[in-house]
Amino acid sequence: MGRFDGRVVVVTGGARGIGFGTATRFAEEGASVAILDLDETAASEAAGRLPLVDGARAAGIGADVSNGASVEAAVSRVVEELGGIHVLVNNAGITRDNLLFKMSEDDWDLVMGVHLKGVFLMTKAAQKHFVEQKYGKIVNISSVSALGNRGQANYSAAKMGVQGLTRTLGIELGPFGINANAVAPGFIATEMTDATAARLKMDVEEFRALSAEANPVKRVGFPEDIAAAVAFLASDEASYITGQTLYVDGGAKLG
Ligand code: NAP
């Protein structure tokens, strides 16, 4: 018996990277999983690769988490196609890095829109169902960059915003049987960090090796590392934990 048998889990930005790793973990543990991503074809293709357990189903749904109408339509489709919603993982993300003096207003708005407004919109749409059924788990993906990172004024502000939002969700939704927590990853090997390597004109392997050297456990993280923490926080074992942010970073920010 899996920890998520009979549950419906939504993972935003689930077509690849941390989101796909997380969707895979929930599927392995018995959940039906909806992958939401910008591109419906990519979302459906990823949903088709999930290792579903008997009786579980998957859906791939195109949605832009920064757009209210798109989010409302996507959450309605999840409930219609998979029969409900019990866990929401707010993972979709983008970067538009630049030093402050070169950062455009558009790059600020885009990053805030996906990371911060996206979590607000998705959570607002899902909580209606959660409150009605007196059950729900929300796990938001923050970042070690919330603590400050050169070239990421927009991203770090959004990711610290996610932590504040998570605490407030914990306070407001706790009485309705809903837990809200965040996971703050350190360096995770995905297309997002590969793109950072390219921007810095570094070889991907060299960039990963440098990042591994910068933390006490001397390795980079993988989507599975984040998936394990998300699954724990979304499980009933974690029902006395809410409003928290768990850093999963190999100890990178210990000092
Ligand atoms: P990734 O490989 O770039 O995947 C992000 C996914 O989100 C992509 O499939 C992307 O779709 C999707 N997406 C982007 N904008 C969206 C929108 N408006 N609506 C719906 N989906 C959208 O990134 P990742 O490395 O797995 O990161 C996942 C999360 O972890 C992000 O929130 C990121 O900030 C956070 N994080 C990552 C790291 C790391 O080291 N990788 C560290 C800390 C935190 P497209 O491909 O169509 O753009």
Side-chain angles (χ1 to χ4, degrees), residues 16-27:
R16 67 176 200 220
I18 293 171
F20 184 69
T22 300
T24 300
R25 176 71 190 246
F26 279 110

Side-chain angles (χ1 to χ4, degrees), residues 16 18 37 64-65 91 115 142 155 159 186 188 190 192-193:
R16 67 176 200 220
I18 293 171
D37 215 292
D64 176 355
V65 297
N91 163 84
H115 290 280
S142 177
Y155 185 81
K159 290 304 201 185
I188 309 297
T190 68
M192 182 179 274
T193 40

